[in-house]
Amino acid sequence: MTNNLIEFKNVSKQFPDKSAVANFNLSIADGELFVLVGPSGSGKTTTLKMINGLERPTGGSIVFDGKELVSYNIRQLRWQIGYVLQQIALFPNLTVAQNISLISEIQHRIKTKEAKKTLVSDALSSVNLDPAVYAERMPHELSGGEQQRIGILRAFASNPRVVLMDEAFSALDPISRNQLQNLVLKMHEETHTTIVFVTHDMNEALKLGDRIGVMNNGELLQVGTPTEIAQQPANELVSKLFANSGSEDVYQTYLGRIGTLGYYVGQPEDQLTEKLAENDTLGDGLQVLANNKVIEIVLNNETKGFLTSQSIINFLNDHQVDK
């Protein structure tokens, strides 16, 4: 039986000038990486804010870890929830080490200087940042990608029940964004923390989500795995949202996205395979296929599927690529 950590039951949120969320029903399992995706103004951020009480529903109820959200002391609730925003929210007057350890110190999870040093050192080392170099730096001395990396470490450092991430990478350059997506997958695999991730980028949703919820105009249109939504959209609007999510340059399309669109094949016999990641691009894949190999798509050392020259040709034909 699935243990649901978060449940929305007929939830609505009405602002004076508009309805932000309507008749919203959703269960998010403990340990799940759940992505809410949809265009701007679809109600994603409002939904996220209702989980930690930044917004209160005007109808229905939300259950967190088996209890009605309204029954929690709001401060105690928020101690269980990490939060990562698009606007990098490090405390500018605190060092990197102080930012990472702050919540754990306030909660009295760490009580000695040695424990703090260990927490900070382990956190920075886990994302390949040298503690000797970064621990005493100030936020303004970091790049945007580095600041957001520290923000993610801070959110996970206190071992929260859930981490909320609201368009956390949308302001970053593509390289930093890709690196931080990989970091989230790594943190999720290692900690099994429930993550609720909001984005308007379907490619990002496909890469990260165990399941995806598609929203529009305050309504939840469909919930499913990336493969289910890609292959069986609930309606024309979901299909269009998904179809319009690709890069303008089809050769920058993630190989994982191509697979979830229905182009994975069974493992061909007697052919050499080369492993690539879900977030490697079609351009990367074509180099492998030119060497008469089969692409094996892997995520966290797990095989997700195989792509051959023919399946890639089928994808290109279906997407009317004439380059």
Side-chain angles (χ1 to χ4, degrees):
M1 181 178 177
T2 302
N3 181 22
N4 291 320
L5 181 63
I6 302 165
E7 296 179 83
F8 289 81
K9 300 181 178 181
N10 300 313
V11 170
S12 61
K13 176 62 179 180
Q14 183 73 41
F15 290 110
D17 58 339
K18 68 172 184 176
S19 173
V21 176
N23 192 33
F24 192 91
N25 290 279
L26 175 67
S27 295
I28 298 174
D30 193 8
E32 184 173 24
L33 203 171
F34 190 91
V35 179
L36 278 173
V37 70
S40 297
S42 60
K44 308 182 302 296
T45 293
T46 299
T47 300
L48 196 74
K49 287 181 175 179
M50 286 193 284
I51 295 174
N52 69 351
L54 284 173
E55 296 287 356
R56 297 281 189 175
T58 49
S61 63
I62 301 172
V63 175
F64 183 86
D65 198 19
K67 291 172 54 179
E68 293 278 346
L69 205 66
V70 294
S71 69
Y72 281 88
N73 173 286
I74 193 66
R75 185 178 181 184
Q76 292 177 348
L77 171 71
R78 289 175 181 164
W79 285 145
Q80 302 182 60
I81 300 175
Y83 204 12
V84 184
L85 301 167
Q86 177 183 341
Q87 298 81 15
I88 302 166
L90 299 182
F91 293 101
N93 60 327
L94 301 183
T95 65
V96 164
Q98 290 168 331
N99 267 283
I100 291 174
S101 63
L102 179 64
I103 304 302
S104 294
E105 288 184 281
I106 293 173
Q107 294 178 322
H108 304 292
R109 289 176 178 267
I110 53 174
K111 300 180 181 180
T112 67
K113 290 183 178 179
E114 191 60 35
K116 174 181 176 179
K117 184 177 179 180
T118 299
L119 171 70
V120 172
S121 179
D122 289 348
L124 289 171
S125 298
S126 74
V127 295
N128 299 316
L129 294 178
D130 185 351
V133 174
Y134 284 91
E136 297 308 314
R137 285 188 177 178
M138 303 301 291
H140 72 267
E141 298 178 285
L142 308 177
S143 69
E146 288 171 340
Q147 289 184 43
Q148 197 62 297
R149 190 165 300 200
I150 301 306
I152 293 170
L153 292 179
R154 183 178 64 186
F156 280 90
S158 60
N159 297 314
R161 293 299 308 277
V162 61
V163 172
L164 308 179
M165 308 187 76
D166 188 8
E167 298 281 7
F169 310 145
S170 60
L172 300 175
D173 63 88
I175 293 175
S176 295
R177 185 169 189 159
N178 182 58
Q179 291 172 340
L180 290 173
Q181 289 167 351
N182 292 337
L183 173 59
V184 168
L185 290 172
K186 176 177 180 287
M187 298 291 285
H188 184 246
E189 180 183 20
E190 292 177 353
T191 66
H192 305 291
T193 302
T194 305
I195 300 173
V196 186
F197 192 104
V198 161
T199 181
H200 63 269
D201 183 341
M202 184 60 84
N203 281 324
E204 187 164 68
L206 286 171
K207 178 178 177 179
L208 295 178
D210 294 328
R211 288 189 304 150
I212 299 169
V214 185
M215 293 188 70
N216 192 54
N217 292 330
E219 296 183 358
L220 188 62
L221 303 181
Q222 184 173 2
V223 175
T225 66
T227 300
E228 289 168 347
I229 290 179
Q231 296 184 8
Q232 300 172 334
N235 54 40
E236 185 177 357
L237 184 54
V238 173
S239 181
K240 286 182 177 180
L241 287 172
F242 189 87
N244 291 335
S245 66
S247 169
E248 291 182 3
D249 181 358
V250 73
Y251 295 103
Q252 294 301 312
T253 304
Y254 292 143
L255 291 170
R257 179 172 185 265
I258 294 173
T260 58
L261 284 169
Y263 295 92
Y264 279 142
V265 298
Q267 182 175 9
E269 296 181 1
D270 302 324
Q271 281 189 265
L272 295 175
T273 63
E274 184 163 333
K275 294 181 179 181
L276 291 177
E278 286 195 318
N279 60 306
D280 285 324
T281 66
L282 176 54
D284 299 323
L286 291 176
Q287 296 181 32
V288 172
L289 294 173
N291 295 323
N292 296 315
K293 294 182 179 179
V294 173
I295 302 169
E296 180 181 357
I297 304 299
V298 295
L299 175 65
N300 299 328
N301 296 318
E302 178 185 348
T303 299
K304 308 298 288 187
F306 297 88
L307 295 171
T308 62
S309 296
Q310 187 58 54
S311 63
I312 293 296
I313 289 171
N314 292 341
F315 168 77
L316 293 173
N317 286 338
D318 292 344
H319 288 77
Q320 300 178 339
V321 174
D322 55 9
K323 296 182 180 181

